Amino acid sequence: KQDKYTKAQTKLSWKQDAWKEMNTKIYDFYSKTLSNMRRVGNFSKKVTTVSDSTKATVSASSGVINGTQTLKVEQLATAGYLTGKEIQQKSGNKIDSTTNLVTLGIKGGTLKFEVGGEVKSVNIGANTTVADFTKALREQGVEANFDESQQRFFLNSAKSGEKNDFNFILDDADSLDMANRLGLATKADYEAYDQANGTTTDLTGMEFADKLDASNAVIYLNNARFEGESNSFSVNGLNITATGVSDTMTITTKTDVDGIYDMVKGFLKEYNELVNTMEKSYNAASAKGYEPLTDDEKEQMSDKEVEKWETKIKDSILRRDSTLQSVLSGMSINMAKAFEI
């Protein structure tokens, strides 16, 4: 009796596993392939090409009218970049991430800067290291790194676009000197300071950081001007990503006949594969007389014989299964129906 119930339990477990595998295949077909076929928009797919794909990529929604349009990329969106000048310790030793900023001759204080229209600040104390400084900048919205091989700081705004640019606020002698010792002061910073304070600084022979201001992207679609913080635009169903400055290009949109054909063909292929799998399981050869083996029975057989025996049972586990027949019948009936859109 115990062997009988153990075998029945094993067989039920195998049947559950077989249904799990079958359910996965059915659900994948339903949620992916069949769902795509149910969307009307997928039968009016558009394919869009641009005359110079090195300058822009374009895709179109199903609502875009077939035809040709013009596109010109006047300017790309960029982040703000500051390349610091080479700096050095008073001792002449190489600077690394653990170097204390005091060794650069900095007295300490607060360095203010503007990011995206907001005033932020970083405090530099007696124990502030290069790593501490770059981390503080990143926490305030400015990406920062110190290149030990070049012995200089590299800073950039986290996002592109004029709105997201950053600039240091060097409105007093101490902050200007601090920025200079960090290699972050530009020539424009000195000129702005002199103009604001009525002073004249001798800039002869001085080295400065170089700042590249952030910019917005500017494109012309059918001669209409569009400006944005990033290089991606969504205009009247067209998704445009500018990748290079260009002269006037052409955008051609047409119905994606090949894509629709491939979608339908793929649906029929997967449907047939699924139905064939279900029919194979339903019409499997009988395993009458085969029952799961007990441990004692397995010991009297080779591993290959055991595997062959169990495979025989598992392959027929859904034979003449009423639930499987119901699903098969439902799919066949619905596939034979006509539907109006």
Side-chain angles (χ1 to χ4, degrees):
K1 273 190 174 181
Q2 183 176 354
D3 286 347
K4 179 181 178 181
Y5 289 127
T6 300
K7 290 182 178 185
Q9 187 179 31
T10 300
K11 204 168 184 179
L12 178 60
S13 176
W14 287 351
K15 190 169 187 177
Q16 289 175 333
D17 291 340
W19 262 117
K20 285 179 183 178
E21 184 179 349
M22 187 66 74
N23 279 334
T24 298
K25 292 178 180 179
I26 294 172
Y27 185 74
D28 282 348
F29 174 76
Y30 167 77
S31 61
K32 298 174 184 177
T33 307
L34 182 59
S35 292
N36 286 336
M37 291 289 290
R38 294 172 62 188
R39 298 187 180 94
V40 176
N42 286 341
F43 290 88
S44 56
K45 289 181 178 180
K46 303 289 183 176
V47 58
T48 302
T49 57
V50 61
S51 58
D52 189 349
S53 59
T54 65
K55 304 300 182 185
T57 58
V58 184
S59 63
S61 66
S62 59
V64 175
I65 298 174
N66 291 348
T68 302
Q69 303 182 62
T70 62
L71 172 67
K72 178 182 178 182
V73 180
E74 182 177 273
Q75 180 175 291
L76 292 177
T78 61
Y81 291 92
L82 189 149
T83 302
K85 71 174 182 179
E86 186 176 351
I87 57 178
Q88 60 183 9
Q89 298 186 67
K90 291 183 292 185
S91 63
N93 294 330
K94 285 282 188 179
I95 303 170
D96 59 30
S97 61
T98 63
T99 300
N100 194 310
L101 297 184
V102 172
T103 64
L104 304 178
I106 296 175
K107 302 174 183 178
T110 301
L111 194 60
K112 295 186 295 183
F113 51 96
E114 186 178 34
V115 182
E118 295 184 30
V119 175
K120 306 288 184 72
S121 63
V122 171
N123 294 319
I124 299 176
N127 298 314
T128 303
T129 65
V130 168
D132 295 332
F133 180 61
T134 54
K135 179 182 177 182
L137 285 172
R138 287 193 292 270
E139 290 175 346
Q140 296 296 328
V142 176
E143 297 298 321
N145 180 57
F146 183 78
D147 189 325
E148 294 182 13
S149 63
Q150 299 297 326
Q151 293 289 281
R152 62 182 73 201
F153 287 99
F154 289 85
L155 280 57
N156 63 272
S157 53
K159 298 179 180 179
S160 61
E162 296 175 3
K163 178 182 176 181
N164 302 305
D165 202 1
F166 71 95
N167 285 289
F168 286 100
I169 302 173
L170 308 178
D171 51 5
D172 59 66
D174 289 340
S175 61
L176 183 62
D177 178 69
M178 190 186 312
N180 179 57
R181 293 181 184 277
L182 289 168
L184 302 176
T186 66
K187 185 176 182 180
D189 289 328
Y190 275 94
E191 292 172 343
Y193 177 84
D194 284 342
Q195 184 176 1
N197 293 276
T199 57
T200 302
T201 304
D202 184 6
L203 305 180
T204 305
M206 288 185 63
E207 294 183 2
F208 307 96
D210 292 304
K211 173 71 188 328
L212 177 65
D213 292 334
S215 63
N216 288 342
V218 177
I219 66 169
Y220 287 85
L221 181 64
N222 301 323
N223 294 328
R225 187 178 187 275
F226 297 90
E227 183 174 348
E229 295 173 12
S230 77
N231 291 310
S232 297
F233 295 83
S234 181
V235 184
N236 195 31
L238 288 177
N239 299 309
I240 303 168
T241 300
T243 55
V245 175
S246 72
D247 293 326
T248 301
M249 302 177 287
T250 56
I251 299 173
T252 304
T253 302
K254 60 183 180 181
T255 301
D256 186 9
V257 177
D258 291 338
I260 297 171
Y261 172 82
D262 289 340
M263 180 183 68
V264 176
K265 182 179 177 181
F267 165 78
L268 293 173
K269 179 183 177 183
E270 290 190 35
Y271 172 84
N272 288 332
E273 288 176 350
L274 178 59
V275 168
N276 288 339
T277 298
M278 296 168 70
E279 287 182 340
K280 182 180 178 181
S281 295
Y282 183 77
N283 296 315
S286 173
K288 187 176 181 180
Y290 286 78
E291 293 294 334
L293 300 168
T294 63
D295 291 339
D296 290 339
E297 290 171 332
K298 289 181 180 179
E299 288 180 0
Q300 300 174 34
M301 302 168 68
S302 67
D303 291 342
K304 190 172 182 180
E305 288 173 330
V306 170
E307 182 182 0
K308 187 176 180 180
W309 183 281
E310 292 185 343
T311 299
K312 176 72 174 178
I313 302 173
K314 291 178 180 179
D315 286 348
S316 65
I317 203 75
L318 296 180
R319 172 181 162 81
R320 300 295 185 261
D321 186 278
S322 59
T323 302
L324 183 58
Q325 182 187 34
S326 176
V327 176
L328 257 173
S329 176
M331 290 181 64
S332 299
I333 291 172
N334 282 287
M335 192 63 173
K337 284 183 179 179
F339 292 88
E340 294 184 6
I341 297 178

